[in-house]
Amino acid sequence: GAVVSQHPSRVICKSGTSVKIECRSLDFQATTMFWYRQFPKKSLMLMATSNEGSKATYEQGVEKDKFLINHASLTLSTLTVTSAHPEDSSFYICSASPRRGGQNEKLFFGSGTQLSVL
Amino acid sequence: DAKTTQPPSMDCAEGRAANLPCNHSTISGNEYVYWYRQIHSQGPQYIIHGLKNNETNEMASLIITEDRKSSTLILPHATLRDTAVYYCIVRVAYNTGNQFYFGTGTSLTVIP
């Protein structure tokens, strides 16, 4: 199956700093990538859709200025948590699809990033 | 918004079939049902998907009712490694593309 790589797997930072998370599609091109957030023992919540070469589309209630998304190439999307605070601590997961919009479209997920803000 | 409801947890004896139900009563005609599973602190793993016909692959079978308002994921011979949270997802089609919204999932525990 298609491989999506996410880095770092774990990050601890001080309150007020910014953290960048990378998501790469290793063996396919992805015009669209998705960013999810997950709290302990909760389901995945879609945050935003990252579009190559254009602005990301954010879900309702997600702060655009807090969670900056850049999709500069067909294999890389980044999520930057700006001025992080303890309430931003969460598990962040990216995903991508090699056949966007097709009948058999499947999402492939990265391994996730555990962000802890002190 | 998630369009699925699932029981929060289930147990299954090792070696027996695990049947995980999902309700999606508001599903539209062109929306697919997907199943993913997530083992603790990892990214979700694709299992199977279907539209209206039953589907089978090397991991599982998917049974979709004729009215498409519910489905069942079947793991034919559960092993301890199948312990995970299983998510039933309806893939929603928008003009900009498909979106996958996760429901609350079922935590499956396979018991030795």
Side-chain angles (χ1 to χ4, degrees):
Chain A
V3 178
V4 175
S5 174
Q6 187 171 342
H7 179 80
S9 58
R10 180 176 295 273
V11 58
I12 301 172
C13 70
K14 293 182 179 179
S15 186
T17 61
S18 294
V19 174
K20 180 185 284 188
I21 303 170
E22 293 188 348
C23 180
R24 296 180 184 272
S25 55
L26 296 187
D27 51 1
F28 64 96
Q29 293 182 334
T31 56
T32 305
M33 292 184 176
F34 303 93
W35 288 95
Y36 291 83
R37 182 176 183 178
Q38 186 176 33
F39 291 105
K41 299 189 184 298
K42 299 294 185 182
S43 184
L44 283 75
M45 180 188 76
L46 180 65
M47 298 175 64
T49 302
S50 171
N51 304 300
E52 187 267 337
S54 64
K55 291 182 180 180
T57 305
Y58 290 82
E59 295 295 305
Q60 191 173 7
V62 178
E63 298 178 59
K64 301 177 184 181
D65 295 332
K66 162 67 75 175
F67 300 102
L68 299 180
I69 291 173
N70 183 275
H71 195 151
S73 78
L74 287 172
T75 59
L76 174 63
S77 174
T78 60
L79 169 68
T80 301
V81 183
T82 62
S83 187
H85 291 284
E87 58 266 30
D88 298 325
S89 298
S90 187
F91 192 56
Y92 294 87
I93 313 172
C94 72
S95 66
S97 167
R99 292 193 185 87
R100 182 75 178 131
Q103 273 190 349
N104 289 314
E105 177 175 7
K106 299 175 194 174
L107 280 189
F108 292 89
F109 287 82
S111 53
T113 297
Q114 182 63 53
L115 171 63
S116 300
V117 184
L118 304 178
Chain B
D1 292 329
K3 301 179 73 171
T4 63
T5 55
Q6 300 174 252
S9 63
M10 289 181 64
D11 291 340
C12 176
E14 187 179 16
R16 303 294 296 269
N19 298 286
L20 291 88
C22 178
N23 287 326
H24 31 79
S25 58
T26 62
I27 195 170
S28 298
N30 62 346
E31 293 176 344
Y32 284 70
V33 178
Y34 282 70
W35 284 83
Y36 279 77
R37 73 181 182 184
Q38 185 181 27
I39 296 171
H40 181 64
S41 297
Q42 297 182 23
Q45 175 192 21
Y46 168 83
I47 301 173
I48 199 167
H49 76 282
L51 181 62
K52 53 185 177 181
N53 296 324
N54 297 338
E55 302 287 344
T56 296
N57 63 20
E58 66 278 4
M59 290 183 70
S61 294
L62 174 61
I63 308 299
I64 303 174
T65 58
E66 193 170 341
D67 62 8
R68 301 207 329 119
K69 293 186 177 181
S70 65
S71 61
T72 301
L73 177 75
I74 301 173
L75 307 178
H77 305 288
T79 70
L80 298 179
R81 288 179 295 180
D82 291 324
T83 293
V85 179
Y86 287 77
Y87 293 101
C88 172
I89 301 157
V90 170
R91 190 189 80 188
V92 180
Y94 294 105
N95 289 337
T96 52
N98 297 322
Q99 296 287 22
F100 295 72
Y101 293 101
F102 283 69
T104 53
T106 296
S107 178
L108 174 69
T109 301
V110 180
I111 301 170

